[in-house]
Amino acid sequence: MTLKIIHKNSTSAGTPPAAGDIDVGEIAINAADAKLFIKDTDGAVQEFIGKFEQSGNGAVARSVESRLRDVVSVKDFGAAGDGVADDTAAIQAANDAAALAGVALRFSAGDSYLVSSIQLSAPAIHTYGATFVPGSASATTPCVSVLAGAKFIDSIYVDQAGTSRKRAIVFNACADLIVNNVDVTCSEQNSYGGDANNAAVRFFACVNTAVLSLSVEKFDYAVKIFGATDHLTIGTVKIRNYINGINLQQGVHVDIGSINGIDIQARSSLWTVQQPGQNGILIGNDSGVNAGTSHVRIVNAVIRDSGEHGIRIGGANEVHNVTFESPNIGNVDGTCLKILSGDNGLYTRNVTINNPRLFDAVGGGIKLSCGLMLYRVINCIVNSPVITKESHTYSGTHGISLYDVLKLEINNPIIENAEEHGISVRLTHADAGGTLITQDCNQVFVSGGTISLSGIDGINIPTQGAQHRRWVVSDTLLQFNAGYGININSTSDPSIGQVDYGYFSTIGRANTLGHASIVTGNTSRLAFALKGQYSAGLASANGSTQQDTENGVFYLKKNNVWTAL
């Protein structure tokens, strides 16, 4: 049918022509709003809308208007995307329309959007690599907030160069959200006076949220996770120039690095003003709030140049069920991997550390720097740790330092070049009031591996005031340590401390295990299997035994003399 377009002037927008003013086959134009109207063969007048039909069998025709409303573009609402005009109102209006209609929100690839603060809640958000640039707003107002309702975002890129804004992106109470990529950068030092709340990317009370890749550069605080976040995955992480890289204050079922690992560095040639970072990853907090962090997995974390610790668990709350897979941490000014709890009777529990490589805990003014430090920890397994030096004189003050530990397994360790002891037990710790508290280390099992080249002892177990129970060192090679292979000692009154139920089956070398010193009074039920060596001068309490495994001879100490059985 041939259509004839005629003009029907009207001063009322949206008013169709009367049925008698238009014939079948004619299209009338309303001059007030340029809308088109057509008269059907049944005589009804209705607005003329073009039809769209997708190719393929079973496609259903629908109006062009319906088809175009499948996606809301920010440009439909006037966003310029030139990085100069303020696009806040346009983007917010576009998002609200998309959220209300339940359709995707679309930005234009390559555009730069100047915004004071926007809240995104459309179910799908496609930025196509567009950049958000913070406009004027209070320093603590985030540039981009992602709210409940958003389910998919392809990428969020925020460039905060030259601004005083402290927070770039906040994921606020998101649920069932997937984000492909988050990228935040600042071209100059962005120092915020040590306020951990001012993090580049914040996850608050998020549930079932996944960010496949996250990158933050030149922020004092890169990532903060808090507010009872539950089931958060961050697949790949890259952080440069920070005070705290990742601060996990409160969260359960948090998995970080499971796609392509974690790469965190504090110093770079681009960042000459900022001081070294404090902690690459900080789990827990010192404030006594936001309790309940558990079921955390950190995978393939490569951390360099932290001003204090590479990874630290600790604070005023308990942290439970944490797994570290293949952490690689070095050149830190404190401890490579530090796990502790506060002075309030709480403990970090159920920790597994698989295949850690920890090196060059160089001190930097921090009194006690170690490869691995375990303080107030219950039920910990450390598999195949390598603690060594690369470019410094020592691997650390101690290879592994222990205080108030219960149920610890260290399997197949390689510990070398500690300034003092390969494995060291610390007896006392000053609480918040300065009072020294003495604690035991019980049920400690060291199996296999090598402890060598320590500046003092391979294993040092002081006992004054403590009563350690169930220590087992089995088939561990102790060699070339400057002091003793195993030194169980008390420098004060030998009657107030002891190691109870100890069994030491080791492989020694000259000038190490042969000099093992047991000087603690009340030490009972100790057994030593000194492979290839029998030491008549081995000091221990009466009732202790040692075994010469090469000759198959057992010795019992009675009346202060070792006697062959």
Side-chain angles (χ1 to χ4, degrees), residues 149-165:
K151 302 302 180 185
F152 173 80
I153 303 174
D154 62 351
S155 65
I156 306 177
Y157 175 38
V158 178
D159 185 355
Q160 300 212 160
T163 75
S164 60
R165 300 288 286 278

Side-chain angles (χ1 to χ4, degrees), residues 77-100:
F77 290 78
D82 58 6
V84 178
D86 190 340
D87 289 325
T88 303
I91 293 174
Q92 194 61 61
N95 171 83
D96 295 348
L100 182 62

